[in-house]
Amino acid sequence: MPALSVLLLGPSLGACNTSANTALVTGATHGKPMVVSDAERDCLGRAMYFESNRSDPEGLLAVGTVVMNRLENAAFPNGGICSVVGQPRQFAAGVLTKPMAEKDLSKVADAADAILAGERHPKVGRAMYFHTAGRKYPYDNMHYVAVAGGNAFYEKRKAGSPSQTPPPAPTAMAFAETIPAEAIPAAQPLAASAPAQPEVAAAQTVLAEPARDICQVAGLGAAPGGG
């Protein structure tokens, strides 16, 4: 069975909602809006779901920002969001196939739509790496920029750059109020076709290696309301 077919068997985020009607957090920065296929949107949501503790939108937004940073960087697979998320040993095992809990789908869908509308975590910036917060590593090229959703985000610095910096303390971000439902175009309902499985711990190996293209970006375009 083709890999893409396997993806579509599990719980998904439903149809694309490319209208930027709601800001996920206040103070967020903005990148280029994207219009992608339902499968690509689902891959983005899955990365945020399995790599964040989902305690608040900030953690989801931070992981989504890393995914988009990697998508725009030539050092990572260029076959689209699913190729970036599916790169071996980069994101949580089973990130593209394990079921998501139905109770979390709406929150994850909102976060995925915010990312696709151009919203980015203001402190993650251009960082492309993260690991579980609280862990320590002996490398001297890790420059930490943010802690969110149970993860510490960092940039890799070249030799000769300042030595490793400690992760900053988590800071609370203000979450924007959503626009009333009656003012937002109706979106397709979220679906869950498999029972929820125990949450898995994030696995973030920072080694880069070639990955197979799982699916491709449907296209680029400016979504309404993007920054």
Side-chain angles (χ1 to χ4, degrees):
M1 181 179 294
L4 183 55
S5 298
V6 173
L7 293 179
L8 299 180
L9 291 178
S12 67
L13 301 184
C16 285
N17 174 15
T18 56
S19 179
N21 293 294
T22 303
L24 195 66
V25 300
T26 58
T29 56
H30 290 81
K32 183 179 180 179
M34 295 184 66
V35 177
V36 302
S37 67
D38 290 356
E40 294 284 292
R41 176 175 177 258
D42 191 58
C43 288
L44 174 61
R46 285 176 167 275
M48 295 188 289
Y49 178 91
F50 287 109
E51 291 290 12
S52 170
N53 61 19
R54 303 182 295 283
S55 60
D56 57 54
E58 182 188 357
L60 296 170
L61 190 69
V63 173
T65 299
V66 167
V67 172
M68 301 310 286
N69 287 347
R70 289 188 174 203
L71 182 66
E72 297 169 1
N73 190 285
F76 294 92
N78 60 1
I81 295 174
C82 291
S83 290
V84 169
V85 175
Q87 186 178 13
R89 298 196 300 274
Q90 293 297 304
F91 291 91
V95 62
L96 295 180
T97 56
K98 288 188 176 182
M100 298 179 286
E102 185 173 4
K103 65 181 178 64
D104 293 319
L105 293 182
S106 178
K107 180 189 298 185
V108 175
D110 288 344
D113 289 337
I115 287 290
L116 293 174
E119 192 168 344
R120 301 289 184 269
H121 191 284
K123 293 186 178 180
V124 170
R126 302 305 302 168
M128 293 184 288
Y129 305 94
F130 62 93
H131 60 71
T132 302
R135 292 183 179 178
K136 294 184 178 180
Y137 296 91
Y139 310 115
D140 62 0
N141 63 341
M142 302 166 74
H143 178 77
Y144 290 94
V145 295
V147 174
N151 295 311
F153 297 81
Y154 66 95
E155 299 174 350
K156 283 186 176 182
R157 296 292 179 88
K158 295 180 179 180
S161 298
S163 59
Q164 183 183 44
T165 59
T171 56
M173 292 180 65
F175 302 113
E177 294 183 359
T178 58
I179 295 175
E182 60 269 22
I184 301 175
Q188 294 294 329
L190 301 174
S193 58
Q197 299 294 322
E199 295 181 5
V200 297
Q204 303 91 3
T205 302
V206 298
L207 299 177
E209 60 179 73
R212 296 176 297 172
D213 288 347
I214 298 175
C215 50
Q216 297 180 342
V217 172
L220 300 179

